[in-house]
Amino acid sequence: MNPLKSSSAPPGRAPNRRGHADLELVVPAFNEAARLPATLAEVTGFLSAKPWHTRVVVVDNGSTDDTAAIVDARGWDVEVVVVGCSRPGKGAAVRRGIAGSTARLVGFIDADLSTPVPTLNQAIAELEAGATAAIASRHAPGAELTHPQPLLRRLGGSVFRLLARRLVPGIHDTQCGFKIFDRVAVQQALHRCQVNGFAFDVELLRQLRRAGGRIAEIPVTWTDDARSTFRPLRDGRAAFTDLLRLYRADRLGTSQAGAR
């Protein structure tokens, strides 16, 4: 029996929505032509051995290389499609990919595959057990770092986690690029999200938690990829700016709630 199958009929297709699947994995991609062939080969090879109806959705986030052509030019072990996203930012790309899904479960993974693909087994088990989101974690008890990030990124990440934990209590790692969701819940949460940059994950998890969803954190063995497109000074500054926006919005919401 397929554990992902729902007893209800698939939802009707809205404009720009893809056909039904049990699981869709979104891969945000900005100039990832060099990494995508190996990434897609590993991901689709893993998925092809599962009894699920799956689809991989590469969101081309304004690439100037051959990202889209690389995907279209090859045959893969499961269906792979490319959609475009002209708005910059990881959050915009993930939102674009998830918004078009009609799958029961949908999630996103980073193109560098720093999180092992088999993590998907435990993620789906958590969702089947009632979680709204199952997220990989590099800092939860039991996690391991086989190739740590450079010192500057580690220091910045420590401060970011400290601040993010006040917005999403109990979560050790909001930023690991491997998250799977109940599709209906995450689409509803995305309607309430405003951030498009690297702090996108914090706002999304906060919205899911506010709606009563349970977030399962999965410790993983994680390997840093030195080819990361994240630039500590430019992107780090933007991520902290987005966090401050979330803090201000949170204080404003608390003040308005107290005034009613």
Side-chain angles (χ1 to χ4, degrees):
M1 177 178 171
N2 186 339
L4 295 187
K5 289 292 187 183
S6 171
S7 58
S8 60
R13 292 185 66 183
N16 299 321
R17 290 205 167 188
R18 299 174 291 274
H20 185 66
D22 301 322
L23 170 70
E24 280 195 339
L25 290 181
V26 173
V27 184
F30 174 70
N31 290 344
E32 292 287 3
R35 285 195 290 201
L36 270 179
T39 294
L40 292 177
E42 184 172 348
V43 172
T44 61
F46 176 84
L47 293 175
S48 68
K50 300 298 181 181
W52 319 321
H53 176 196
T54 57
R55 181 182 296 115
V56 178
V57 181
V58 176
V59 181
D60 184 0
N61 197 200
S63 299
T64 57
D65 65 359
D66 293 329
T67 290
I70 287 290
V71 178
D72 287 335
R74 305 196 179 198
W76 307 102
D77 292 331
V78 300
E79 182 184 3
V80 179
V81 300
V82 181
V83 299
C85 178
S86 59
R87 295 188 65 184
K90 169 188 169 182
V94 170
R95 184 180 286 108
R96 176 74 172 88
I98 291 178
S101 180
T102 60
R104 180 183 167 200
L105 304 180
V106 62
F108 62 92
I109 61 175
D110 283 346
D112 61 11
L113 286 189
S114 291
T115 302
V117 178
T119 305
L120 192 59
N121 290 328
Q122 187 173 349
I124 288 178
E126 293 285 359
L127 290 160
E128 290 296 325
T132 304
I135 66 173
S137 176
R138 299 160 294 184
H139 302 286
E144 296 181 11
L145 301 178
T146 60
H147 185 186
Q149 294 172 324
L151 179 60
L152 182 60
R153 285 196 66 180
R154 294 203 305 273
L155 292 174
S158 296
V159 177
F160 189 95
R161 287 194 304 277
L162 181 64
L163 295 173
R165 200 168 297 169
R166 295 182 62 182
L167 293 169
V168 194
I171 300 299
H172 297 83
D173 185 5
T174 60
Q175 301 308 110
C176 190
F178 193 111
K179 295 179 172 69
I180 313 296
F181 310 93
D182 173 87
R183 191 261 306 170
V184 173
V186 74
Q187 286 179 342
Q188 291 173 346
L190 283 172
H191 283 304
R192 301 186 292 273
C193 290
Q194 302 296 322
V195 171
N196 283 324
F198 283 95
F200 161 80
D201 306 67
V202 179
E203 185 179 27
L204 178 56
L205 295 176
R206 184 162 177 77
Q207 293 293 353
L208 289 168
R209 177 75 64 74
R210 280 182 163 179
R214 179 171 69 84
I215 301 169
E217 199 169 15
I218 303 169
V220 296
T221 299
W222 190 83
T223 303
D224 179 53
D225 190 330
R227 298 170 296 173
S228 171
T229 58
F230 183 89
R231 294 178 173 85
L233 292 180
R234 185 196 67 183
D235 297 327
R237 185 183 302 114
F240 278 103
T241 299
D242 283 339
L243 265 187
L244 293 177
R245 286 177 56 199
L246 294 177
Y247 268 97
R248 285 195 295 268
D250 190 60
R251 287 198 298 270
L252 179 62
T254 300
S255 298
Q256 290 176 341
R260 285 197 290 269

